[in-house]
Amino acid sequence: MLRSFRVVCGVLLFSFAIDYAQCNGGKRLMCYFSSDSPKTKGYGRYTVNEIPVELCSDVIYRGVTFPEWTRGSYVFNNEELQRLGAFMYTIKARSRTVRNHITLLERGKEALSYSIMAEIPERRGAFVKAILQLLEQYGMDGIEIAWEWPGTMVKFGGISSDRESVVSLLTDVRSGLKSRNKELFFFGAVYPKVLRESYRVTSICQLVDFVTLFTFDMRPHTNNVADVHAPMRNRSFETEPNRAKTNVVNGVETWIDFGCPPKKLILGIGLFGQAYTLANPAVYNVGAPTLGPGAEGQYYYEGYYPYYELCLLVRSGWSIFYDPIGQMPFAVRGNQWMSYEDTNSIGMKLNFLQEKRLGGVILQYVDYDDFWGFCGSRNPLTTYIYQRLKQIPSDILFAIEWNNK
């Protein structure tokens, strides 16, 4: 059967120019590259030369700041464009096959930038023109619209017309990209309230190539509760309505139930640890009260540790436990509590991805993996995901097997 599948794939590739990835498991492994990572101090400094292009099907440069509205046009920051140009020059020299995309970020004061732009047709047109020029100038394959919190129900910004404006914006961007054979991604939250009130899921999924899901870092420190940051399912202590279904399984299934084809959903996996300071070191189970973020590490702001730092840290006298419902490990030392992903927890997520026939995985961030090999081999989590995705039968093979029954 495997040999015949390879023959079929060869015919399909020759006849219809199907992407090779569709015959190699068919699942994308998208790797976010943080544009700030080259500025990280010490051993945390990560450049385009460290990206494992042999593992990533796509590299998403995350990103450039939302462009500034100036005299009827949108203009990108010139310094950021210079860094993008250097990045693209190097990555294209390193790989001819990896796809390259870019994320437009809203940062701080720009929290309303998408809302203001998307509700006005003339501004939407200028925005589309600016991103098309950006993609063509740097030879990129597509763009991710990271409009993280549309609408007024969240504290980060948004206006009441955002639900309709999201669709209007994606319609205009899709129209502009179509003739240029570029891809369109949408960064999608899984919070129940946002899904209900901010998105027209069916329309969004008809317009985009993929939805990159925010299925990581789902437990803010402000909750003052020790919890794994990307639980598969919720636990009995989680009774607050919006939190009660904020998890990987419910989030993905809600996107599907609301009308998104599973193959367009890309599961987000965070390669980092989230740390808390316990209110009482003697009470350390999942759900224990906390005082806020954990201690600051060597490389990032307090409460967050890249995998290359935490993999060494938890070996230095921390006690390791496992949340059987959230299906993630956590480690405790004194009043410090930290959840993180390992190959076991990622394996559970990939089993779910295969069951639901999702389109692939996106890593937040590839530069958080153990790229130095401090704890063993280099890029262990990225390599594990790559190998597991290769083992998943493609949808083409699934159709062949189904038709032969």
Side-chain angles (χ1 to χ4, degrees):
M1 183 63 190
L2 181 58
R3 182 178 181 277
S4 63
F5 170 61
R6 287 173 177 164
V7 171
V8 170
C9 268
V11 172
L12 289 172
L13 284 165
F14 180 78
S15 303
F16 303 106
I18 290 177
D19 193 291
Y20 180 74
Q22 292 182 278
C23 289
N24 189 24
K27 307 302 179 185
R28 297 268 190 110
L29 176 49
M30 301 179 180
C31 300
Y32 279 133
F33 169 85
S34 171
S35 58
D36 291 330
S37 59
K39 297 182 285 186
T40 307
K41 58 187 177 182
Y43 286 109
R45 185 173 185 271
Y46 188 101
T47 72
V48 61
N49 290 303
E50 279 72 58
I51 297 174
V53 292
E54 72 280 5
L55 303 177
C56 304
S57 64
D58 305 73
V59 173
I60 303 179
Y61 185 88
R62 188 176 169 90
V64 296
T65 306
F66 200 92
E68 182 178 351
W69 178 252
T70 304
R71 297 179 181 179
S73 300
Y74 277 106
V75 180
F76 290 98
N77 179 279
N78 188 57
E79 184 178 335
E80 289 186 337
L81 291 184
Q82 289 178 3
R83 291 198 295 268
L84 172 63
F87 172 89
M88 287 302 301
Y89 178 84
T90 303
I91 200 164
K92 284 182 174 292
R94 292 191 61 211
S95 174
R96 295 183 179 181
T97 58
V98 69
R99 303 178 189 87
N100 294 285
H101 309 267
I102 191 165
T103 301
L104 297 189
L105 298 172
E106 290 185 293
R107 290 171 168 161
K109 65 180 182 180
E110 292 89 17
L112 285 172
S113 296
Y114 270 112
S115 297
I116 295 170
M117 173 271 296
E119 72 169 346
I120 303 172
E122 291 77 14
R123 288 204 175 193
R124 288 201 307 270
F127 177 80
V128 172
K129 181 180 179 180
I131 62 175
L132 290 178
Q133 290 174 344
L134 181 72
L135 296 180
E136 292 294 342
Q137 180 178 352
Y138 295 101
M140 308 193 81
D141 298 296
I143 188 166
E144 180 188 44
I145 300 297
W147 189 349
E148 296 187 11
W149 310 115
T152 57
M153 77 293 301
V154 291
K155 64 182 180 180
F156 303 104
I159 59 179
S160 59
S161 61
D162 282 349
R163 191 167 188 250
E164 304 303 327
S165 295
V166 168
V167 177
S168 298
L169 173 61
L170 293 177
T171 299
D172 289 357
V173 176
R174 174 82 278 167
S175 178
L177 295 178
K178 190 173 182 180
S179 63
R180 291 168 171 80
N181 196 30
K182 306 289 186 182
E183 291 187 311
L184 174 60
F185 302 163
F186 181 76
F187 185 69
V190 295
Y191 295 101
K193 193 172 180 65
V194 176
L195 268 164
R196 288 194 311 270
E197 300 180 21
S198 295
Y199 301 152
R200 292 193 178 277
V201 169
T202 301
S203 297
I204 289 171
C205 291
Q206 286 173 342
L207 291 165
V208 304
D209 295 286
F210 293 105
V211 176
T212 49
L213 292 175
F214 186 17
T215 43
F216 49 84
D217 200 13
M218 293 186 282
R219 297 294 185 266
H221 292 106
T222 52
N223 288 344
N224 292 323
V225 173
D227 199 0
V228 295
H229 69 78
M232 289 294 290
R233 296 171 178 82
N234 287 80
R235 284 57 49 90
S236 58
F237 68 87
E238 299 178 288
T239 57
E240 191 275 323
N242 195 49
R243 175 171 172 150
K245 290 189 176 182
T246 301
N247 59 67
V248 173
V249 171
N250 284 117
V252 169
E253 290 182 345
T254 300
W255 272 91
I256 294 172
D257 291 344
F258 282 9
C260 195
K263 66 181 180 180
K264 288 195 173 187
L265 296 175
I266 304 297
L267 189 68
I269 296 180
L271 305 186
F272 58 85
Q274 183 180 21
Y276 299 84
T277 298
L278 293 169
N280 180 355
V283 181
Y284 54 80
N285 289 331
V286 171
T290 66
L291 302 176
E296 185 173 347
Q298 296 184 54
Y299 303 104
Y300 288 96
Y301 45 90
E302 62 178 353
Y304 289 95
Y305 292 79
Y307 184 75
Y308 61 80
E309 181 177 13
L310 75 85
C311 71
L312 286 174
L313 188 67
V314 298
R315 295 180 180 184
S316 61
W318 291 60
S319 299
I320 298 175
F321 302 92
Y322 190 75
D323 174 8
I325 299 175
Q327 296 183 301
M328 284 183 68
F330 62 95
V332 181
R333 182 178 182 179
N335 68 349
Q336 295 298 293
W337 193 105
M338 178 160 56
S339 75
Y340 57 97
E341 298 278 15
D342 62 8
T343 53
N344 290 327
S345 63
I346 291 173
M348 295 296 103
K349 290 177 168 66
L350 295 179
N351 290 343
F352 177 69
L353 176 148
Q354 181 171 355
E355 175 192 343
K356 295 297 180 179
R357 298 176 65 204
L358 307 183
V361 166
I362 188 161
L363 302 181
Q364 173 89 351
Y365 290 89
V366 69
D367 31 303
Y368 287 175
D369 203 352
D370 185 13
F371 64 97
W372 286 108
F374 287 147
C375 298
S377 60
R378 293 191 173 197
N379 299 305
L381 300 184
T382 306
T383 300
Y384 173 76
I385 295 169
Y386 170 81
Q387 292 172 342
R388 278 291 312 272
L389 291 178
K390 283 182 65 177
Q391 296 168 6
I392 297 176
S394 74
D395 291 339
I396 296 173
L397 179 56
F398 178 87
I400 293 170
E401 289 177 338
W402 189 85
N403 286 327
N404 287 338
K405 290 181 179 179

